[in-house]
């Protein structure tokens, strides 16, 4: 899709999300959070749901977890402006509870449309909910984080959610290792580095 067409298509998704009432989460949102980033992004990050800061600002990953994400991106030399960041559900579940299966299902088409427009090389799922929505509904992040899988031409890399590293300091090493794996996957795709861990075809 030409970049201008893609931008227009993403703006259309934004407008649909901001007026969406497909699940009950619209009732308690301050602002819906469609996602943001480059329409021609090579990498998409998909988290779980907006938190309090995101709900107030209408932007993804602007709170403490966003700072962890930004730090990790900087460490591997990736500009946040060059990626696209969104969540599985676009409106905040009250009290930051887990999104329900019905809410994830209701919001799924918004996410799939964004993926189709951006057509990224790599999708990094952040945490269990995104991995189970996009990769495998039984995946274990503890066992599978950092292991790329190719599905329908897109490379998926499940990694820990940055918020998990805020709550459990021991996970920061795993998160850093996952981001190094992301760097290796991108370098491999560009033909500038030794092959990272082999992707499993799903
Ligand atoms: S969470 Fe998704 S499906 Fe539910 S109201 Fe918000 S945009 Fe619509």
């Amino acid at each position: 899709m030409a970049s201008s067409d893609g931008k227009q298509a993403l703006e259309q998704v934004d407008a649909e999300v901001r007026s969406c009432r497909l699940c009950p989460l619209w009732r308690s949102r301050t602002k819906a959070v469609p996602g943001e980033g480059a329409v021609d992004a090579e990498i998409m990050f998909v988290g779980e749901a907006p938190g309090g800061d995101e709900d107030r600002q209408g932007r993804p990953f602007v709170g403490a977890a966003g700072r962890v994400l930004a730090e990790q991106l900087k460490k591997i030399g990736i500009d946040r402006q060059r990626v696209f960041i969104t969540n599985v559900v676009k409106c905040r579940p009250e009290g930051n509870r887990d999104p329900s299966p019905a809410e994830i299902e209701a919001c799924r088409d918004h996410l799939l449309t964004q993926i189709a427009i951006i057509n990224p090389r790599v999708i990094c799922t952040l945490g269990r909910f995104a991995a189970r929505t996009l990769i495998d509904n039984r995946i274990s992040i503890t066992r599978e984080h950092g292991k790329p899988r190719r599905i329908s031409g897109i490379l998926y890399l499940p990694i820990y959610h940055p918020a998990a590293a805020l709550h459990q300091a021991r996970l920061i090493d795993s998160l850093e290792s996952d981001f190094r794996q992301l760097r290796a996957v991108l370098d491999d795709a560009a033909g500038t580095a030794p092959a990272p861990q082999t992707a499993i075809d799903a």
Side-chain angles (χ1 to χ4, degrees):
M1 190 180 289
S3 170
S4 57
D5 292 348
K7 196 161 178 288
Q8 212 169 30
L10 274 184
E11 284 168 0
Q12 176 71 27
V13 177
D14 278 21
E16 285 169 11
V17 165
R18 292 188 200 286
S19 61
C20 178
R21 294 184 173 190
L22 284 176
C23 85
L25 292 182
W26 74 270
R27 293 178 190 280
S28 54
R29 72 185 172 212
T30 308
K31 290 183 176 173
V33 185
E36 66 183 25
V39 67
D40 57 350
E42 281 195 327
I43 315 165
M44 267 183 92
F45 287 94
V46 182
E48 178 181 320
D53 291 316
E54 291 77 14
D55 176 67
R56 278 186 290 279
Q57 296 186 40
R59 297 181 55 215
F61 282 85
V62 288
R67 285 193 287 281
V68 174
L69 177 63
E71 271 168 29
Q72 294 301 323
L73 283 172
K74 195 171 172 195
K75 280 185 182 173
I76 62 168
I78 294 175
D79 182 352
R80 177 171 165 145
Q81 306 305 319
R82 297 297 310 145
V83 306
F84 191 90
I85 306 175
T86 189
N87 286 297
V88 167
V89 296
K90 316 297 192 195
C91 304
R92 183 193 186 207
E94 315 82 339
N96 292 346
R97 66 163 171 78
D98 292 343
S100 72
E103 290 157 358
I104 291 172
E105 191 53 40
C107 217
R108 182 189 293 268
D109 278 355
H110 294 313
L111 176 59
L112 295 183
T113 304
Q114 289 172 320
I115 292 171
I117 294 166
I118 295 164
N119 191 24
R121 184 174 287 174
V122 181
I123 296 179
C124 272
T125 57
L126 303 171
R128 175 165 53 107
F129 286 93
R132 290 190 172 177
T133 300
L134 290 173
I135 301 175
D136 176 346
N137 62 12
R138 288 169 304 175
I139 194 169
S140 158
I141 290 295
T142 310
R143 282 198 301 273
E144 300 294 325
H145 73 92
K147 297 180 184 171
R149 297 194 196 191
R150 189 175 296 282
I151 305 170
S152 303
I154 294 178
L155 208 55
Y156 288 83
L157 185 65
I159 68 179
Y160 280 111
H161 196 288
L166 285 172
H167 302 306
Q168 300 176 67
R170 65 182 172 80
L171 291 184
I172 195 71
D173 289 345
S174 299
L175 192 65
E176 290 196 353
S177 153
D178 288 346
F179 272 81
R180 285 196 297 275
Q181 176 69 355
L182 171 60
R183 178 78 266 173
V185 164
L186 291 168
D187 290 347
D188 180 53
T192 58
Q197 183 164 348
T198 310
I200 304 162
D201 284 313

